[in-house]
Amino acid sequence: FPEMLSNPRLIPVQGTLNVVMNQNVTLSCHSNSGSPPVRYTLFKHSQKVSASHRPDLTPSLFNLTINSASDLGEYKCKAENNISRGEKYSNSLNFTLIEPISKPVLSSPTSQAKKGQNVTLSCLSENGSLPITYVFFKGKESISPPVKMQKKEAAVIFLFINSSSDFGTYKCRAKSSFCNNTKYSNGFNFTLAEERSHSQPLIISLVLILLLFIIGSALVIPFVIIPSYKSSE
């Protein structure tokens, strides 16, 4: 006897409903029991998108391209066979549009530092679906645990400049929680701030003393040396 179809199951073949703009996706619609042949119809917002016939109980595959926000709407499929009123509807699916992360920018309020100084580094991807996880590196070695940001704000770490090696190249990595989208920043280097020489104040003092001596001599000459020269004539 002809058997009524089971409710079909609609699933994304790629395994996720997270998509980026202009992505190609495939939906599978499948009734695992019932009498073939089976006619499958895909709907979006109750409007027919595509249809196919299967001579057996193998899945029907529907290929889509996500071109706009309207393509994210609710999808369902219908399975029917030759039995009167033998149509069954699937679960519904909704796609979520995700934004790939942009290259993060690594920055600091100061580019110059000296030994014994505390500094900060900030890492931010301007674009990308949240949350975004940041990790900081010095060379190839990570120097921070992963920092997950739920808002469009920079991840910040604090560093203590203790030795010459702390002036090495720093980088940060931003990773999206969707689709394993990972980007690295440009390298950032602190430069050693020139410390004022201890001899500078001494040199300035000597110059000032010399200037005062010259000025003082210029003032004394007219009153002391010239009168004594005249009296000796």
Side-chain angles (χ1 to χ4, degrees):
F1 293 97
E3 184 185 353
M4 189 175 285
L5 293 166
S6 61
N7 284 85
R9 187 169 175 234
L10 185 64
I11 60 170
V13 172
Q14 67 272 15
T16 176
L17 291 169
N18 298 318
V19 295
V20 295
M21 198 62 79
N22 301 318
Q23 181 177 334
N24 296 318
V25 296
T26 302
L27 295 179
S28 167
C29 186
H30 179 222
S31 288
N32 59 17
S33 66
S35 299
V38 185
R39 175 182 170 85
Y40 291 103
T41 307
L42 182 69
F43 296 89
K44 181 183 71 180
H45 292 310
S46 302
Q47 300 223 336
K48 180 181 172 181
V49 175
S50 185
S52 71
H53 285 83
R54 301 300 303 164
D56 49 27
L57 290 178
T58 55
S60 179
L61 301 178
F62 297 99
N63 296 311
L64 307 169
T65 303
I66 306 299
N67 288 318
S68 66
S70 64
D71 294 326
L72 304 173
E74 183 183 71
Y75 288 85
K76 278 189 177 183
C77 74
K78 179 178 72 174
E80 52 191 329
N81 58 8
N82 294 328
I83 298 176
S84 176
R85 296 183 181 178
E87 59 184 34
K88 295 283 186 172
Y89 285 88
S90 74
N91 55 297
S92 61
L93 293 181
N94 285 277
F95 290 105
T96 300
L97 186 66
I98 59 171
E99 183 185 21
I101 54 174
S102 57
K103 183 176 181 178
V105 175
L106 184 64
S107 61
S108 175
T110 177
S111 60
Q112 291 191 330
K114 51 191 176 185
K115 291 177 184 177
Q117 183 177 341
N118 290 305
V119 294
T120 60
L121 279 175
S122 301
C123 185
L124 175 64
S125 287
E126 288 287 348
N127 301 312
S129 295
L130 298 167
I132 297 174
T133 301
Y134 297 95
V135 177
F136 293 82
F137 295 85
K138 186 175 73 178
K140 294 183 179 180
E141 190 175 330
S142 66
I143 55 172
S144 76
V147 182
K148 183 180 280 191
M149 301 300 294
Q150 303 285 353
K151 296 181 180 179
K152 195 70 71 171
E153 294 175 353
V156 179
I157 62 167
F158 300 90
L159 301 172
F160 180 66
I161 302 298
N162 193 38
S163 65
S164 300
S165 64
D166 294 328
F167 289 93
T169 301
Y170 293 87
K171 281 190 177 184
C172 69
R173 181 185 71 201
K175 185 174 183 180
S176 171
S177 297
F178 305 100
C179 70
N180 288 327
N181 185 209
T182 301
K183 293 282 178 70
Y184 285 85
S185 71
N186 287 331
F188 182 92
N189 291 75
F190 291 103
T191 55
L192 181 63
E194 289 186 16
E195 296 190 33
R196 293 182 63 182
S197 170
H198 295 300
S199 61
Q200 279 184 326
L202 180 61
I203 293 170
I204 292 170
S205 299
L206 290 173
V207 169
L208 287 173
I209 291 168
L210 183 61
L211 283 171
L212 288 171
F213 177 76
I214 293 170
I215 293 168
S217 299
L219 292 171
V220 166
I221 287 171
F223 297 103
V224 176
I225 298 177
I226 293 174
S228 62
Y229 173 74
K230 284 183 176 180
S231 63
S232 62
E233 286 183 338

